[in-house]
């Protein structure tokens, strides 16, 4: 039986934006108020996405990790969820630098990512508008989800994880095709060289 594809996803964002809450909501469909704020955790999860069983490894990073830890986690991941909290403008402003570091660590560019604006249930103390989130996502050329780990009404949390898996799978397929095309080109060039030598 063919092995199900594996996708490594890492969740980044300032401390307190709700990374753990989002991961736990995705995995258990529940909301738990408090987690150990300093620990990073990895989870394995299987899901059926577009009629394909995909195994995800999900890394919930700690908001206060240092740059070396961040870079290590960026090298590890295939795709990234960048989270900010709509009630914390500073967390929104930290998304850009995280993305810049990602592009530095993961050459070539166009790293698979999604942008998640969490805590939409706290609209009354909102500091970042939906339009600002949409604009940032369009600058980063990625999907955007505004959601609440605490009151996930429309299933936006799962949709964000699933869309990121799709994006990773799409990029891998394109890279695989490009690799196959380039090795075919190499074989053709080698044959042409041989034929040229024989005929001369
Ligand atoms: N109202 C509301 N509170 C939330 C939501 N998501 C998380 N929280 C709360 O925000 C706080 C921080 O949540 P965490 O999930 O621990 O945040 P984190 O990003 O993992 O934090 P670090 O582990 O320190 O990086 C907790 O008190 C959560 O209960 C949400 O959607 N709505």
């Amino acid at each position: 039986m063919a092995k199900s594809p594996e996708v490594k996803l890492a969740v980044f964002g300032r401390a307190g934006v709700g990374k753990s809450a989002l991961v736990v909501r995705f995995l258990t469909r529940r909301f738990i108020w408090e987690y150990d704020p300093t620990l990073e955790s990895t989870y394995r999860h299987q899901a059926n996405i577009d009629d394909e069983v995909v195994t995800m490894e999900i890394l919930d990073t700690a908001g206060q990790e240092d740059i070396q830890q961040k870079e290590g986690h960026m090298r590890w991941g295939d795709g990234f969820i960048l989270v900010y909290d709509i009630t914390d403008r500073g967390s929104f402003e930290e998304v850009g630098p995280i993305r810049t570091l990602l592009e530095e660590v993961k050459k070539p560019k166009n790293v698979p990512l999604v942008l998640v604006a969490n805590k939409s249930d706290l609209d009354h103390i909102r500091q970042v508008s939906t339009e600002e989130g949409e604009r940032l996502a369009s600058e980063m050329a990625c999907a955007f989800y505004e959601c609440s780990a605490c009151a996930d009404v429309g299933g936006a949390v799962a949709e964000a994880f699933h869309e990121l898996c799709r994006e990773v799978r799409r990029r891998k397929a394109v890279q695989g095709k490009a690799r196959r095309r380039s090795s075919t080109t190499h074989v053709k060039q080698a044959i042409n060289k041989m034929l040229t030598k024989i005929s001369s």
Side-chain angles (χ1 to χ4, degrees), residues 15-21 31 33-34 37 63 118-119 121-122 148-150:
V17 293
K19 298 179 294 298
S20 306
F31 180 69
W33 278 102
E34 294 304 331
N118 191 34
K119 307 198 189 180
D121 56 297
L122 299 179
S148 164
C150 152

Side-chain angles (χ1 to χ4, degrees), residues 182-198:
S182 105
S183 59
T184 314
T185 313
H186 281 136
V187 171
K188 276 188 188 155
Q189 281 169 347
I191 292 174
N192 278 341
K193 243 190 204 164
M194 263 165 46
L195 291 176
T196 322
K197 263 192 196 154
I198 292 166

Side-chain angles (χ1 to χ4, degrees), residues 110-177:
N110 294 325
V111 184
L113 44 95
V114 297
L115 179 64
V116 168
N118 191 34
K119 307 198 189 180
S120 62
D121 56 297
L122 299 179
D123 197 45
H124 54 291
I125 49 167
R126 177 192 281 275
Q127 291 183 358
V128 185
S129 70
T130 306
E131 292 70 33
E132 285 175 289
E134 284 169 347
R135 216 174 302 133
L136 179 60
S138 109
E139 278 165 30
M140 302 196 300
C142 71
F144 173 64
Y145 297 88
E146 197 166 270
C147 62
S148 164
C150 152
D152 184 31
V153 208
V157 175
E159 191 41 45
F161 279 87
H162 287 188
E163 181 52 27
L164 182 56
C165 276
R166 288 188 195 103
E167 191 58 25
V168 170
R169 304 276 302 134
R170 276 194 288 265
R171 306 264 175 120
K172 280 194 175 167
V174 171
Q175 280 163 7
K177 258 190 204 155

